Amino acid sequence: MRPSSPRPHRNLLQCHRRSAEEARHGSLQHPRAHVMDELQYRFGDGPCIAAMRTGSTMHVPDVFQEHRWPEYARAVATRKVGSILSVPLPLEGESSASLNIYSSRAHGFTGEDITRAELFAEQSAKTLRLELRLARLQDAKNNLAAAMKSRTAIDAAVGIIIAQNRCSQDAALKSCAAPPTPATSNCGT
């Protein structure tokens, strides 16, 4: 992209991954872009959040004329941001991401810049989708390993109960699952 100013501030990637146990936020960004993103979260909305929510490109040609997110627009304007481009990255499931580019000039992005950003986001999304799949597989592997460790401990406990109480495997399993009482101390027999 041809920047409208010598040094546009880019937030190259803003990603949210949600799983049952965690939400991850990762980004590669310029420190000033990080401030712009944090402002959006403080206000609860803005072009980045809207792009991720709607799956549509959000272009703010002039922050001084922006009416969709007035508080956010006023806040970034005081930080010498003139225009913003937020492009969603199409991901899978509950994951969402966007490419956010900040210009210090109003009307800092041409139609060609927007098209190139959308193409870049589309290509970047392919890599990110693969990374997210790999992360989900790693999570599944870790969960399976933890389950196998638990299963090994349960099997050992059942074996001890069977040996001590001379009962069946089913009775020993029930004994493991039940709260300890005098009635279950010998497998319920």
Side-chain angles (χ1 to χ4, degrees):
M1 273 186 279
R2 280 175 297 139
S4 298
S5 66
R7 294 189 50 113
H9 303 288
R10 302 174 193 86
N11 174 355
L12 295 179
L13 183 63
Q14 188 76 21
C15 175
H16 299 271
R17 177 174 173 252
R18 295 176 194 95
S19 68
E21 299 86 32
E22 65 183 307
R24 293 185 195 160
H25 167 87
S27 61
L28 173 62
Q29 57 193 345
H30 187 282
R32 286 188 62 192
H34 178 73
V35 170
M36 302 311 134
D37 289 339
E38 291 304 316
L39 285 170
Q40 286 188 78
Y41 294 114
R42 191 176 324 147
F43 290 115
D45 206 4
C48 164
I49 294 170
M52 289 189 292
R53 183 181 61 245
T54 65
S56 299
T57 296
M58 296 291 149
H59 181 213
V60 178
D62 184 346
V63 297
F64 289 103
Q65 302 298 316
E66 180 55 49
H67 300 289
R68 292 171 287 186
W69 310 285
E71 296 91 6
Y72 173 71
R74 280 192 296 276
V76 297
T78 65
R79 288 166 175 82
K80 299 181 181 173
V81 171
S83 55
I84 304 167
L85 180 61
S86 295
V87 183
L89 280 73
L91 301 178
E92 299 167 342
E94 294 183 16
S95 299
S96 60
S98 68
L99 168 70
N100 303 305
I101 308 170
Y102 302 90
S103 175
S104 57
R105 291 181 46 202
H107 304 283
F109 304 103
T110 66
E112 183 181 343
D113 293 334
I114 294 169
T115 299
R116 285 183 180 183
E118 290 172 337
L119 290 171
F120 180 78
E122 189 177 308
Q123 293 302 311
S124 298
K126 291 177 185 179
T127 302
L128 188 54
R129 282 193 301 266
L130 178 60
E131 190 279 326
L132 290 170
R133 282 186 206 134
L134 291 172
R136 281 192 291 272
L137 287 172
Q138 185 64 45
D139 288 348
K141 178 185 171 203
N142 293 343
N143 291 340
L144 183 58
M148 293 303 289
K149 283 182 183 178
S150 295
R151 180 63 192 189
T152 301
I154 291 169
D155 286 345
V158 167
I160 291 168
I161 292 170
I162 290 171
Q164 287 178 344
N165 297 298
R166 302 184 200 284
C167 58
S168 70
Q169 184 177 13
D170 287 343
L173 277 170
K174 287 178 185 173
S175 176
C176 284
T181 66
T184 60
S185 62
N186 61 1
C187 297
T189 58

Coordinates of all heavy atoms in Angstrom, one line a residue, residues 105-184:
R105 N -3.1 11.2 8.4 CA -3.9 12.2 7.6 C -5.3 11.7 7.3 O -5.6 10.6 7.2 CB -3.2 12.2 6.2 CG -1.8 12.9 6.3 CD -1.1 13.0 4.9 NE -2.1 13.5 3.9 CZ -1.9 13.3 2.6 NH1 -0.9 12.6 2.2 NH2 -2.8 13.8 1.8
A106 N -6.2 12.7 7.3 CA -7.6 12.4 6.9 C -7.5 12.0 5.4 O -6.6 12.4 4.6 CB -8.4 13.7 7.0
H107 N -8.4 11.1 5.0 CA -8.5 10.6 3.7 C -7.1 10.0 3.3 O -6.6 10.1 2.2 CB -8.9 11.6 2.7 CG -10.2 12.3 3.0 ND1 -11.4 11.6 2.8 CD2 -10.5 13.4 3.7 CE1 -12.4 12.4 3.3 NE2 -11.9 13.5 3.8
G108 N -6.6 9.2 4.2 CA -5.3 8.6 4.0 C -5.2 7.3 3.2 O -4.1 6.8 3.0
F109 N -6.4 6.8 2.8 CA -6.4 5.6 2.1 C -7.2 5.7 0.8 O -8.3 6.2 0.8 CB -7.1 4.5 2.9 CG -6.4 4.3 4.2 CD1 -7.0 4.8 5.4 CD2 -5.2 3.6 4.4 CE1 -6.4 4.7 6.6 CE2 -4.6 3.5 5.6 CZ -5.1 4.0 6.7
T110 N -6.6 5.3 -0.3 CA -7.2 5.4 -1.6 C -8.1 4.1 -1.8 O -7.9 3.1 -1.0 CB -6.2 5.4 -2.8 OG1 -5.4 4.2 -2.8 CG2 -5.3 6.7 -2.6
G111 N -8.9 4.0 -2.8 CA -9.6 2.8 -3.2 C -8.7 1.7 -3.4 O -8.9 0.5 -3.0
E112 N -7.6 2.0 -4.1 CA -6.5 0.9 -4.3 C -5.9 0.4 -3.0 O -5.7 -0.8 -2.9 CB -5.4 1.5 -5.2 CG -4.4 0.5 -5.6 CD -3.3 1.1 -6.5 OE1 -3.5 2.2 -7.1 OE2 -2.2 0.4 -6.6
D113 N -5.7 1.3 -2.1 CA -5.2 0.9 -0.8 C -6.1 0.0 -0.1 O -5.7 -1.1 0.5 CB -4.9 2.1 0.1 CG -3.8 3.0 -0.3 OD1 -2.9 2.6 -1.0 OD2 -3.9 4.2 0.0
I114 N -7.4 0.3 -0.1 CA -8.4 -0.5 0.5 C -8.5 -1.9 -0.1 O -8.5 -3.0 0.5 CB -9.8 0.2 0.5 CG1 -9.7 1.4 1.3 CG2 -10.9 -0.8 1.0 CD1 -10.9 2.4 1.2
T115 N -8.4 -2.0 -1.5 CA -8.5 -3.2 -2.2 C -7.2 -4.1 -1.8 O -7.4 -5.3 -1.6 CB -8.5 -3.0 -3.7 OG1 -9.7 -2.3 -4.0 CG2 -8.5 -4.3 -4.5
R116 N -6.1 -3.5 -1.8 CA -4.9 -4.2 -1.4 C -4.9 -4.7 0.0 O -4.5 -5.8 0.3 CB -3.6 -3.3 -1.6 CG -3.3 -3.1 -3.0 CD -2.0 -2.3 -3.2 NE -1.6 -2.2 -4.5 CZ -0.6 -1.6 -4.9 NH1 0.3 -1.0 -4.1 NH2 -0.3 -1.4 -6.2
A117 N -5.5 -3.9 0.9 CA -5.6 -4.3 2.3 C -6.5 -5.5 2.4 O -6.3 -6.5 3.2 CB -6.1 -3.2 3.2
E118 N -7.6 -5.5 1.7 CA -8.6 -6.6 1.7 C -7.9 -7.9 1.1 O -8.1 -9.0 1.7 CB -9.8 -6.2 0.9 CG -10.7 -5.2 1.7 CD -11.8 -4.7 0.9 OE1 -11.8 -4.7 -0.4 OE2 -12.8 -4.2 1.5
L119 N -7.2 -7.8 0.1 CA -6.5 -8.9 -0.5 C -5.4 -9.5 0.5 O -5.3 -10.7 0.7 CB -5.8 -8.6 -1.8 CG -6.8 -8.4 -3.0 CD1 -6.0 -7.8 -4.2 CD2 -7.5 -9.6 -3.3
F120 N -4.7 -8.6 1.1 CA -3.7 -9.0 2.1 C -4.4 -9.7 3.3 O -3.9 -10.7 3.8 CB -2.9 -7.8 2.6 CG -1.9 -8.1 3.6 CD1 -0.7 -8.7 3.3 CD2 -2.1 -7.9 5.0 CE1 0.3 -9.0 4.2 CE2 -1.2 -8.2 5.9 CZ 0.0 -8.8 5.5
A121 N -5.5 -9.2 3.7 CA -6.2 -9.8 4.8 C -6.7 -11.2 4.5 O -6.7 -12.1 5.3 CB -7.4 -8.9 5.3
E122 N -7.2 -11.3 3.3 CA -7.7 -12.6 2.8 C -6.6 -13.6 2.8 O -6.8 -14.8 3.3 CB -8.3 -12.4 1.4 CG -9.0 -13.7 0.9 CD -9.6 -13.4 -0.5 OE1 -10.3 -12.4 -0.7 OE2 -9.3 -14.2 -1.4
Q123 N -5.4 -13.3 2.3 CA -4.3 -14.2 2.3 C -3.8 -14.4 3.7 O -3.4 -15.6 4.1 CB -3.1 -13.6 1.4 CG -3.5 -13.5 0.0 CD -3.8 -14.9 -0.6 OE1 -3.1 -15.9 -0.4 NE2 -4.9 -15.0 -1.3
S124 N -3.7 -13.4 4.5 CA -3.3 -13.6 5.9 C -4.2 -14.5 6.7 O -3.8 -15.3 7.6 CB -3.2 -12.2 6.6 OG -2.3 -11.4 6.0
A125 N -5.5 -14.4 6.4 CA -6.5 -15.3 7.1 C -6.2 -16.7 6.9 O -6.4 -17.6 7.8 CB -7.9 -14.9 6.6
K126 N -5.7 -17.1 5.7 CA -5.4 -18.5 5.4 C -4.3 -19.0 6.4 O -4.5 -20.1 7.0 CB -4.9 -18.7 4.0 CG -6.0 -18.5 3.0 CD -5.5 -18.5 1.6 CE -6.5 -18.2 0.6 NZ -6.0 -18.2 -0.8
T127 N -3.3 -18.3 6.6 CA -2.2 -18.6 7.5 C -2.8 -18.7 9.0 O -2.5 -19.6 9.7 CB -1.0 -17.7 7.4 OG1 -0.6 -17.7 6.1 CG2 0.1 -18.0 8.4
L128 N -3.5 -17.7 9.3 CA -4.1 -17.6 10.7 C -5.0 -18.8 11.0 O -5.0 -19.4 12.0 CB -4.7 -16.3 10.9 CG -5.2 -16.0 12.3 CD1 -4.0 -16.1 13.3 CD2 -5.8 -14.6 12.4
R129 N -5.9 -19.1 10.0 CA -6.8 -20.3 10.1 C -6.0 -21.5 10.4 O -6.3 -22.3 11.3 CB -7.7 -20.4 8.9 CG -8.8 -19.5 8.9 CD -9.9 -19.9 7.9 NE -9.4 -19.9 6.5 CZ -9.4 -19.0 5.6 NH1 -9.9 -17.8 5.9 NH2 -8.9 -19.1 4.4
L130 N -4.9 -21.7 9.7 CA -4.0 -22.9 9.9 C -3.4 -22.9 11.3 O -3.4 -23.9 12.0 CB -2.9 -23.0 8.8 CG -1.9 -24.1 9.0 CD1 -2.7 -25.5 8.9 CD2 -0.9 -24.0 7.9
E131 N -2.9 -21.7 11.7 CA -2.4 -21.6 13.1 C -3.4 -21.9 14.1 O -3.1 -22.6 15.1 CB -1.8 -20.2 13.3 CG -1.0 -20.1 14.6 CD -1.8 -19.9 15.8 OE1 -2.8 -19.2 15.8 OE2 -1.4 -20.4 16.9
L132 N -4.6 -21.4 13.9 CA -5.7 -21.7 14.9 C -6.1 -23.2 14.9 O -6.3 -23.7 16.0 CB -6.9 -20.8 14.6 CG -6.7 -19.3 14.9 CD1 -7.9 -18.5 14.3 CD2 -6.6 -19.1 16.4
R133 N -6.1 -23.8 13.8 CA -6.4 -25.3 13.7 C -5.3 -26.0 14.5 O -5.6 -27.0 15.2 CB -6.4 -25.8 12.3 CG -7.7 -25.5 11.6 CD -7.8 -26.1 10.2 NE -8.7 -25.3 9.4 CZ -8.4 -25.0 8.2 NH1 -7.3 -25.3 7.6 NH2 -9.3 -24.3 7.5
L134 N -4.0 -25.6 14.3 CA -2.9 -26.3 15.0 C -3.0 -26.1 16.5 O -2.8 -27.0 17.3 CB -1.6 -25.8 14.5 CG -1.2 -26.2 13.0 CD1 0.1 -25.5 12.6 CD2 -1.0 -27.7 12.9
A135 N -3.4 -24.9 16.9 CA -3.6 -24.6 18.3 C -4.7 -25.5 18.9 O -4.6 -26.0 20.0 CB -3.9 -23.1 18.5
R136 N -5.8 -25.6 18.1 CA -6.9 -26.5 18.6 C -6.5 -27.9 18.7 O -6.9 -28.6 19.7 CB -8.2 -26.3 17.7 CG -9.0 -25.1 17.9 CD -10.3 -25.1 17.2 NE -10.2 -25.0 15.8 CZ -10.1 -23.9 15.1 NH1 -10.2 -22.8 15.7 NH2 -10.0 -24.0 13.8
L137 N -5.7 -28.4 17.8 CA -5.2 -29.8 17.8 C -4.3 -29.9 19.0 O -4.3 -31.0 19.7 CB -4.5 -30.1 16.5 CG -5.4 -30.4 15.3 CD1 -4.5 -30.5 14.1 CD2 -6.3 -31.6 15.5
Q138 N -3.4 -28.9 19.3 CA -2.5 -29.0 20.5 C -3.4 -29.0 21.8 O -3.1 -29.8 22.7 CB -1.6 -27.8 20.5 CG -0.5 -27.9 21.6 CD 0.4 -29.1 21.5 OE1 0.9 -29.4 20.4 NE2 0.6 -29.8 22.6
D139 N -4.4 -28.2 21.8 CA -5.3 -28.3 23.0 C -5.9 -29.6 23.2 O -6.0 -30.2 24.3 CB -6.4 -27.2 22.9 CG -5.9 -25.8 23.0 OD1 -4.8 -25.6 23.5 OD2 -6.7 -24.9 22.7
A140 N -6.4 -30.2 22.1 CA -7.0 -31.6 22.1 C -6.0 -32.6 22.6 O -6.3 -33.5 23.4 CB -7.6 -31.9 20.8
K141 N -4.8 -32.5 22.1 CA -3.7 -33.4 22.5 C -3.4 -33.3 24.0 O -3.3 -34.3 24.7 CB -2.4 -33.1 21.7 CG -1.3 -34.0 22.1 CD 0.0 -33.6 21.4 CE 1.2 -34.3 22.0 NZ 2.4 -33.7 21.7
N142 N -3.3 -32.0 24.5 CA -3.1 -31.8 25.9 C -4.2 -32.3 26.7 O -4.0 -32.9 27.8 CB -2.8 -30.3 26.2 CG -1.6 -29.8 25.5 OD1 -0.7 -30.6 25.1 ND2 -1.5 -28.5 25.4
N143 N -5.5 -32.1 26.3 CA -6.6 -32.6 27.1 C -6.6 -34.2 27.1 O -7.0 -34.8 28.1 CB -7.9 -32.1 26.4 CG -8.1 -30.6 26.7 OD1 -7.5 -30.0 27.5 ND2 -8.9 -30.0 25.8
L144 N -6.3 -34.8 26.0 CA -6.2 -36.2 25.9 C -5.2 -36.8 26.8 O -5.4 -37.8 27.6 CB -6.0 -36.7 24.5 CG -6.0 -38.2 24.2 CD1 -7.3 -38.8 24.7 CD2 -5.8 -38.5 22.8
A145 N -4.0 -36.1 26.8 CA -2.9 -36.6 27.7 C -3.3 -36.5 29.2 O -3.0 -37.4 30.0 CB -1.6 -35.7 27.5
A146 N -4.0 -35.4 29.5 CA -4.5 -35.2 30.9 C -5.5 -36.3 31.3 O -5.5 -36.8 32.4 CB -5.1 -33.8 31.1
A147 N -6.4 -36.6 30.3 CA -7.4 -37.6 30.6 C -6.7 -39.0 30.8 O -7.2 -39.8 31.6 CB -8.4 -37.7 29.4
M148 N -5.7 -39.3 30.0 CA -5.0 -40.5 30.1 C -4.3 -40.6 31.5 O -4.3 -41.7 32.1 CB -4.0 -40.7 29.0 CG -4.6 -40.9 27.6 SD -5.8 -42.3 27.5 CE -4.7 -43.6 27.6
K149 N -3.7 -39.5 31.9 CA -3.1 -39.6 33.3 C -4.2 -39.8 34.3 O -3.9 -40.6 35.3 CB -2.4 -38.2 33.5 CG -1.1 -38.1 32.8 CD -0.4 -36.8 33.2 CE 0.9 -36.6 32.4 NZ 1.5 -35.3 32.7
S150 N -5.3 -39.2 34.2 CA -6.4 -39.4 35.2 C -6.9 -40.8 35.1 O -7.1 -41.5 36.1 CB -7.6 -38.5 34.9 OG -7.2 -37.1 35.1
R151 N -7.0 -41.4 33.9 CA -7.4 -42.7 33.7 C -6.5 -43.7 34.4 O -6.9 -44.7 35.1 CB -7.6 -43.1 32.2 CG -8.1 -44.5 31.9 CD -9.5 -44.7 32.5 NE -9.8 -46.1 32.5 CZ -11.0 -46.6 32.7 NH1 -11.9 -45.8 33.1 NH2 -11.2 -47.8 32.7
T152 N -5.2 -43.5 34.2 CA -4.2 -44.3 34.8 C -4.3 -44.3 36.4 O -4.2 -45.3 37.0 CB -2.7 -43.9 34.4 OG1 -2.7 -43.9 33.0 CG2 -1.7 -44.7 35.0
A153 N -4.5 -43.1 36.9 CA -4.7 -43.0 38.4 C -5.9 -43.7 38.8 O -5.9 -44.4 39.9 CB -4.7 -41.5 38.8
I154 N -7.0 -43.6 38.1 CA -8.2 -44.3 38.4 C -8.1 -45.8 38.4 O -8.5 -46.5 39.3 CB -9.4 -43.8 37.5 CG1 -9.8 -42.4 37.8 CG2 -10.6 -44.7 37.6 CD1 -10.7 -41.7 36.8
D155 N -7.4 -46.3 37.3 CA -7.2 -47.7 37.2 C -6.3 -48.2 38.4 O -6.6 -49.3 38.9 CB -6.5 -48.0 35.9 CG -7.4 -47.9 34.7 OD1 -8.6 -47.9 34.9 OD2 -6.9 -47.9 33.5
A156 N -5.3 -47.4 38.8 CA -4.5 -47.9 39.9 C -5.3 -47.9 41.2 O -5.2 -48.9 42.0 CB -3.3 -46.9 40.1
A157 N -6.2 -46.9 41.4 CA -7.0 -46.9 42.6 C -8.0 -48.0 42.6 O -8.2 -48.7 43.6 CB -7.8 -45.6 42.7
V158 N -8.6 -48.3 41.4 CA -9.5 -49.5 41.3 C -8.8 -50.8 41.7 O -9.3 -51.6 42.4 CB -10.2 -49.5 39.9 CG1 -10.9 -50.8 39.7 CG2 -11.1 -48.4 39.8
G159 N -7.6 -50.9 41.1 CA -6.8 -52.1 41.4 C -6.5 -52.3 42.9 O -6.6 -53.4 43.5
I160 N -6.2 -51.2 43.6 CA -5.9 -51.3 45.0 C -7.2 -51.7 45.8 O -7.2 -52.5 46.7 CB -5.3 -49.9 45.5 CG1 -3.9 -49.7 44.9 CG2 -5.4 -49.8 47.0 CD1 -3.4 -48.3 45.1
I161 N -8.3 -51.1 45.4 CA -9.6 -51.4 46.1 C -10.0 -52.8 45.9 O -10.4 -53.5 46.8 CB -10.7 -50.4 45.6 CG1 -10.4 -49.0 46.1 CG2 -12.1 -50.9 46.1 CD1 -11.3 -47.9 45.5
I162 N -9.8 -53.3 44.7 CA -10.1 -54.7 44.4 C -9.2 -55.6 45.2 O -9.7 -56.6 45.8 CB -9.9 -55.0 42.9 CG1 -11.0 -54.3 42.0 CG2 -9.9 -56.5 42.6 CD1 -10.8 -54.4 40.5
A163 N -7.9 -55.3 45.3 CA -7.0 -56.2 46.1 C -7.3 -56.1 47.6 O -7.3 -57.2 48.3 CB -5.6 -55.7 45.8
Q164 N -7.6 -54.9 48.1 CA -7.9 -54.8 49.5 C -9.2 -55.4 49.9 O -9.4 -55.9 51.0 CB -7.8 -53.3 49.9 CG -6.4 -52.8 49.9 CD -6.5 -51.3 50.3 OE1 -7.5 -50.6 50.3 NE2 -5.3 -50.8 50.7
N165 N -10.2 -55.2 49.1 CA -11.6 -55.6 49.5 C -12.2 -56.8 48.8 O -13.3 -57.2 49.0 CB -12.5 -54.4 49.2 CG -12.1 -53.2 50.1 OD1 -12.2 -53.3 51.3 ND2 -11.7 -52.1 49.4
R166 N -11.4 -57.4 47.8 CA -11.8 -58.6 47.1 C -13.2 -58.4 46.5 O -14.1 -59.1 46.8 CB -11.8 -59.8 48.0 CG -10.4 -60.1 48.6 CD -10.4 -61.4 49.4 NE -9.4 -61.4 50.4 CZ -8.1 -61.7 50.1 NH1 -7.7 -61.9 48.8 NH2 -7.2 -61.8 51.0
C167 N -13.3 -57.3 45.7 CA -14.6 -57.1 45.0 C -14.4 -57.0 43.5 O -13.3 -57.0 43.0 CB -15.2 -55.8 45.6 SG -14.2 -54.3 45.4
S168 N -15.6 -56.8 42.8 CA -15.5 -56.7 41.4 C -15.0 -55.3 40.9 O -15.0 -54.4 41.7 CB -16.9 -56.9 40.8 OG -17.7 -55.8 41.1
Q169 N -14.6 -55.2 39.7 CA -14.2 -54.0 39.1 C -15.3 -52.9 39.2 O -15.0 -51.8 39.5 CB -13.6 -54.1 37.7 CG -13.1 -52.9 37.1 CD -12.5 -53.0 35.7 OE1 -12.7 -54.1 35.1 NE2 -11.7 -52.0 35.3
D170 N -16.5 -53.3 38.8 CA -17.6 -52.4 38.9 C -17.9 -51.9 40.3 O -18.1 -50.7 40.5 CB -18.9 -53.1 38.4 CG -18.9 -53.3 36.9 OD1 -18.1 -52.6 36.2 OD2 -19.7 -54.1 36.4
A171 N -17.8 -52.7 41.3 CA -18.0 -52.3 42.6 C -16.9 -51.4 43.1 O -17.1 -50.4 43.8 CB -18.0 -53.5 43.6
A172 N -15.6 -51.6 42.6 CA -14.5 -50.8 43.0 C -14.7 -49.4 42.3 O -14.4 -48.4 43.0 CB -13.2 -51.4 42.6
L173 N -15.1 -49.4 41.1 CA -15.3 -48.1 40.4 C -16.4 -47.3 41.1 O -16.3 -46.1 41.3 CB -15.8 -48.3 38.9 CG -14.6 -48.5 37.9 CD1 -15.1 -48.9 36.6 CD2 -13.8 -47.2 37.8
K174 N -17.5 -48.0 41.5 CA -18.6 -47.3 42.2 C -18.0 -46.7 43.6 O -18.4 -45.6 44.0 CB -19.7 -48.2 42.5 CG -20.5 -48.4 41.2 CD -21.7 -49.4 41.5 CE -22.4 -49.7 40.2 NZ -23.4 -50.8 40.4
S175 N -17.2 -47.5 44.2 CA -16.6 -47.1 45.4 C -15.7 -45.8 45.2 O -15.7 -44.9 46.1 CB -15.7 -48.2 46.0 OG -15.0 -47.8 47.2
C176 N -15.0 -45.7 44.1 CA -14.2 -44.6 43.8 C -15.0 -43.3 43.6 O -14.7 -42.2 43.9 CB -13.3 -44.8 42.6 SG -11.9 -45.9 42.8
A177 N -16.2 -43.5 43.0 CA -17.0 -42.4 42.6 C -17.9 -41.9 43.8 O -18.3 -40.8 43.8 CB -18.0 -42.8 41.5
A178 N -18.1 -42.8 44.8 CA -19.0 -42.4 45.9 C -18.1 -41.8 47.0 O -16.9 -42.0 47.1 CB -19.6 -43.7 46.5
P179 N -18.8 -40.9 47.7 CA -18.1 -40.3 48.9 C -17.7 -41.4 49.9 O -18.5 -42.3 50.0 CB -19.0 -39.2 49.4 CG -20.3 -39.4 48.7 CD -20.1 -40.4 47.6
P180 N -16.6 -41.2 50.6 CA -16.2 -42.3 51.5 C -17.2 -42.4 52.7 O -17.5 -41.4 53.3 CB -14.8 -41.9 52.0 CG -14.6 -40.5 51.5 CD -15.6 -40.2 50.5
T181 N -17.7 -43.6 52.9 CA -18.6 -43.9 54.1 C -18.2 -45.2 54.6 O -17.6 -46.0 53.8 CB -20.1 -43.8 53.7 OG1 -20.3 -44.9 52.8 CG2 -20.5 -42.5 53.0
P182 N -18.6 -45.6 55.8 CA -18.4 -46.9 56.2 C -18.9 -48.0 55.3 O -18.4 -49.1 55.1 CB -19.0 -47.0 57.6 CG -19.1 -45.6 58.1 CD -19.2 -44.8 56.8
A183 N -20.1 -47.7 54.7 CA -20.7 -48.7 53.8 C -19.9 -48.9 52.5 O -20.0 -50.0 52.0 CB -22.1 -48.2 53.4
T184 N -19.2 -48.0 52.1 CA -18.4 -48.2 50.8 C -17.0 -48.5 51.1 O -16.2 -48.7 50.1 CB -18.5 -46.9 49.9 OG1 -17.9 -45.8 50.7 CG2 -19.9 -46.6 49.5

